[in-house]
Amino acid sequence: MEFSQFPCGENAEFIVVKEQKSVPTPKVILEATGESDIDSYIRLKQIDAQIQQHQDKIDTLSVKMNKIIAALVNQSDAQLNNLSGAKKDIAIANQMTNASQRFTVLIEREQHDIDRLVSEKKHLKENQNSDVKSTQTPQSKGIDSFIRLQTIKREMQRHQAKINTYQINMNQQISALEDEVSEQPTNITDATYDDSLSRRMEAVTSKYHTLIDVEQRQIDRLHSEMISLQ
């Protein structure tokens, strides 16, 4: 009913005005769909992007480490077989070790950040799964798990193949250095070279240990996820 200071006209009729439904605000929509679920989804996407960024940094650092050590190896191989060259070779071998250790620290820092993000992602997914279980059918869950398991297995095989390649390369380089040691006659100059070759072996081993550890950490994360799906 509406009151007015002006009277209705002679032909006025009684009408019924239907109540207009208000358009839901974004806040109402978020509450209806689950605001916390949307926040979790957004955060999971952010985590995936951040993990990829750290992994890209690790790949870049690994490439730089390989280039620097390869350049130092070339310098070492170019040294003349004399006392002066042998002493310089020791200095180069020390540079190789220092470069490997420096990049190991940088890569380990990125690995630590990835582990932290993976832990947060796992916590968010566990909370999501507890809400989804009531609405997702067992058949649907089984299909999703099967697809993800197959993807995990392929990724683990890829990382394992890289580990195998690194191990082969490391063994070949160490064997080549061991052959150089065995071929040296016994004198002061060659004893100095033996010391430099030994340090080069340590540097090569350290480098490949870092590269292998990067791949093994990836396998460990995937294996942990695979167990949670089974």
Side-chain angles (χ1 to χ4, degrees):
M1 183 176 295
E2 181 179 327
F3 295 91
S4 174
Q5 60 181 342
F6 302 105
C8 295
E10 294 180 359
N11 298 326
E13 296 179 358
F14 182 78
I15 61 172
V16 177
V17 179
K18 294 183 180 180
E19 182 181 358
Q20 299 294 321
K21 293 183 179 180
S22 60
V23 178
T25 63
K27 183 177 180 181
V28 174
I29 295 174
L30 285 175
E31 290 176 351
T33 56
E35 186 173 358
S36 61
D37 291 340
I38 294 176
D39 290 340
S40 296
Y41 175 80
I42 294 173
R43 180 56 189 152
L44 284 170
K45 291 297 183 184
Q46 291 174 340
I47 289 174
D48 286 338
Q50 290 172 353
I51 289 174
Q52 187 58 53
Q53 288 174 356
H54 288 297
Q55 192 59 54
D56 290 342
K57 286 183 180 179
I58 289 175
D59 294 339
T60 301
L61 290 169
S62 299
V63 171
K64 286 183 178 179
M65 179 177 65
N66 277 330
K67 286 183 177 180
I68 290 174
I69 292 180
L72 290 169
V73 168
N74 291 336
Q75 287 184 40
S76 181
D77 291 340
Q79 295 305 312
L80 296 175
N81 188 17
N82 55 48
L83 185 58
S84 176
K87 289 181 178 179
K88 188 173 181 181
D89 201 36
I90 290 178
I92 293 174
N94 289 336
Q95 285 181 297
M96 290 170 61
T97 301
N98 292 337
S100 178
Q101 291 174 348
R102 176 165 59 91
F103 279 101
T104 297
V105 170
L106 296 174
I107 289 172
E108 187 62 31
R109 185 184 302 169
E110 301 299 328
Q111 292 278 24
H112 176 75
D113 289 336
I114 290 177
D115 290 340
R116 174 179 54 80
L117 290 166
V118 168
S119 178
E120 182 184 352
K121 180 179 178 179
K122 181 180 178 183
H123 177 71
L124 287 171
K125 280 190 164 251
E126 286 175 352
N127 291 339
Q128 273 192 341
N129 290 338
S130 62
D131 296 333
V132 172
K133 283 180 180 177
S134 58
T135 58
Q136 192 177 23
T137 65
Q139 184 180 9
S140 176
K141 287 188 291 185
I143 293 173
D144 290 344
S145 296
F146 175 79
I147 293 172
R148 181 54 188 157
L149 282 170
Q150 298 306 308
T151 302
I152 288 174
K153 289 177 181 178
R154 287 193 296 270
E155 290 178 0
M156 290 176 69
Q157 289 174 352
R158 179 170 57 84
H159 290 298
Q160 187 60 53
K162 292 181 74 173
I163 289 176
N164 295 339
T165 300
Y166 288 143
Q167 289 175 333
I168 291 171
N169 292 340
M170 180 180 65
N171 291 337
Q172 289 176 345
Q173 292 183 25
I174 295 296
S175 296
L177 291 171
E178 288 175 344
D179 291 341
E180 289 185 39
V181 173
S182 62
E183 291 172 1
Q184 296 294 336
T186 56
N187 55 50
I188 296 177
T189 302
D190 296 324
T192 307
Y193 265 118
D194 286 348
D195 187 22
S196 70
L197 289 172
S198 176
R199 298 188 189 192
R200 284 174 61 184
M201 288 181 189
E202 292 178 4
V204 168
T205 302
S206 176
K207 181 190 78 169
Y208 281 107
H209 173 78
T210 301
L211 295 173
I212 290 172
D213 183 64
V214 168
E215 302 303 321
Q216 188 60 54
R217 293 280 281 274
Q218 293 275 45
I219 290 176
D220 292 341
R221 295 187 194 105
L222 291 167
H223 185 261
S224 178
E225 182 182 355
M226 185 171 67
I227 292 175
S228 67
L229 291 172
Q230 291 175 338

